[in-house]
Amino acid sequence: MTTMQVGDPHALSKGSTPPPEGASTLRLYSGRFCPYAARVRLVLNAKNIKYEVVNIDLKNKPEWYYEKNALGKVPLLEIKGPSGPSFISESLIIAEYLDDQYHDDFPLLPTDAPLERAQQKMLLEIIYSKK
């Protein structure tokens, strides 16, 4: 007899405890096969930003995760700060935040050509709307 496993064995799921605080300033809550979370990982890696990943079982989300993100969606970026953590959700918003916050190292979009930047954003909208 074969048993079928529900959920992701490499991710935190219902009944799990929140992960301990890590050394990194940035923590990405992700789904192992989530394309939106992959988009954020691409930006983080392209900009060579140090971060840690916590994989969430998207079919069996832990209860504590809803305290961090009421919608329970991934990706979610947790930013550790002196007054506690801050959170940003939605992959495009996270990518824009990372580009603004770490713009000196490697800008994803042109910073000195507003028209070219706007045109590239329009192209991204077209690509993202073709899901």
Side-chain angles (χ1 to χ4, degrees):
M1 173 186 247
T2 308
T3 58
M4 187 170 134
Q5 184 169 346
V6 177
D8 185 346
H10 304 290
L12 298 178
S13 60
K14 196 171 282 189
S16 67
T17 58
E21 202 167 301
S24 180
T25 304
L26 297 178
R27 176 179 279 176
L28 178 64
Y29 292 91
S30 178
R32 285 183 59 216
F33 303 107
C34 173
Y36 305 106
R39 178 186 292 157
V40 175
R41 286 193 305 274
L42 285 170
V43 172
L44 287 160
N45 292 334
K47 292 181 152 294
N48 202 25
I49 300 169
K50 291 183 181 179
Y51 66 101
E52 58 190 37
V53 174
V54 175
N55 285 314
I56 300 296
D57 184 338
L58 301 180
K59 293 184 179 184
N60 196 20
K61 296 174 188 151
E63 299 84 359
W64 56 262
Y65 187 64
Y66 290 96
E67 295 172 17
K68 296 180 181 297
N69 184 350
L71 296 175
K73 294 168 59 174
V74 296
L76 178 70
L77 186 68
E78 180 177 347
I79 305 146
K80 295 178 192 165
S83 59
S86 297
F87 300 93
I88 303 173
S89 61
E90 299 297 328
S91 62
L92 291 176
I93 297 169
I94 295 170
E96 190 169 339
Y97 164 79
L98 292 170
D99 199 29
D100 290 343
Q101 185 68 20
Y102 299 91
H103 66 279
D104 292 339
D105 300 330
F106 175 70
L108 297 177
L109 295 171
T111 56
D112 57 347
L115 179 59
E116 187 178 338
R117 181 180 177 97
Q119 290 171 332
Q120 288 185 15
K121 281 184 156 186
M122 288 172 26
L123 179 60
L124 287 173
E125 282 299 316
I126 291 168
I127 292 168
Y128 294 142
S129 68
K130 302 270 183 200
K131 298 177 199 172

